[in-house]
Amino acid sequence: MDGLLTLSRGGHLPLDVLAGLTLLSIVPFLLMMCTSFVRIVVVLSLVRSAIGTSSLPPNAVLSGLALVLTLVVMAPTFQRIGDEAVQPYAHGRISQSQAIERASGPLRAFMLRQTRSADIALFERVAHRAPEPVARAPFTVIVPAYVVGELRAAFAIGFALYLPFVAIDLAVAAMLMGLGMMMLSPPVVSLPVKLLLFVMVDGWALVCGGVATSFR
């Protein structure tokens, strides 16, 4: 007991615990906003909407799949963070501030590869900051610029994925109108056709592979 009190007074254990709890509390934010999760989950949601199944697959399935794909895409970045920051800090070779600085480097490099300089310049103006080299931009500028770029890329991919399904809807609607079956709702017929086409081309594998390889 006396040893714990001495450590609490003279050591860094309380500060380390506080910093660790703080980092754990922002891990979900970092996972969503600073990794490939945003683009992947938006693309998967747009695919579900394009097919016409508003609740299938469920949100939990899409989020889980997006999380797994995020871990796959971010594996090299996480490996660098572990080698350059986590392991040295765990062995006491670097301080906490040095570990955070080293960990931010690979994550910053990943985000900057996906971010346009125009988006960074935009948020520098929003933050009333003087223009500076992209490599020196703070996270308060890089993160919103990165998220905007990810949303742009996700919507561009979603647009390309929507086109074949829209073509099927138009073809089915024209066919039903030509047959005089105007009382029959086109989605009733087009949904099975879209599901069949998606299964025949192994659509989920193509979408997952495509969105995973779209990152630089």
Side-chain angles (χ1 to χ4, degrees), residues 49-75:
S49 178
I51 295 173
T53 54
S54 59
S55 58
L56 292 174
N59 290 330
V61 174
L62 289 185
S63 299
L65 180 58
L67 180 60
V68 172
L69 291 176
T70 298
L71 295 177
V72 172
V73 172
M74 300 297 297

Side-chain angles (χ1 to χ4, degrees), residues 3-211:
L4 289 176
L5 291 175
T6 302
L7 183 60
S8 299
R9 290 170 183 170
H12 299 286
L13 180 60
L15 293 178
D16 289 343
V17 172
L18 179 61
L21 292 176
T22 303
L23 289 176
L24 286 177
S25 66
I26 65 174
V27 163
F29 170 80
L30 294 177
L31 181 62
M32 291 184 60
M33 307 302 288
C34 301
T35 66
S36 58
F37 183 82
V38 172
R39 184 188 304 186
I40 294 173
V41 75
V42 171
V43 168
L44 295 180
S45 299
L46 287 173
V47 170
R48 180 178 66 179
S49 178
I51 295 173
T53 54
S54 59
S55 58
L56 292 174
N59 290 330
V61 174
L62 289 185
S63 299
L65 180 58
L67 180 60
V68 172
L69 291 176
T70 298
L71 295 177
V72 172
V73 172
M74 300 297 297
T77 302
F78 290 156
Q79 183 65 40
R80 283 189 57 194
I81 292 174
D83 294 340
E84 298 176 10
V86 177
Q87 292 298 329
Y89 177 71
H91 290 87
R93 295 196 294 268
I94 59 176
S95 66
Q96 192 173 92
S97 59
Q98 290 174 323
I100 294 175
E101 183 178 356
R102 289 190 181 186
S104 64
L107 194 59
R108 172 193 292 267
F110 172 81
M111 288 192 291
L112 288 178
R113 287 199 302 271
Q114 325 301 326
T115 307
R116 301 191 312 176
S117 57
D119 292 332
I120 293 180
L122 168 65
F123 284 98
E124 282 179 339
R125 292 194 300 271
V126 170
H128 303 290
R129 295 180 60 90
E132 56 186 348
V134 173
R136 296 174 55 188
F139 269 90
T140 53
V141 171
I142 294 177
V143 172
Y146 170 75
V147 173
V148 167
E150 289 298 281
L151 292 175
R152 182 190 303 109
F155 275 69
I157 296 172
F159 173 77
L161 293 173
Y162 249 94
L163 292 179
F165 297 110
V166 172
I168 292 175
D169 287 333
L170 293 176
V172 169
M175 182 185 65
L176 293 177
M177 186 174 295
L179 294 175
M181 304 173 64
M182 290 176 289
M183 299 300 295
L184 182 61
S185 177
V188 174
V189 179
S190 64
L191 179 58
V193 175
K194 289 188 287 187
L195 291 175
L196 177 62
L197 175 64
F198 201 66
V199 170
M200 288 179 60
V201 300
D202 200 7
W204 285 114
L206 290 176
V207 170
C208 292
V211 72

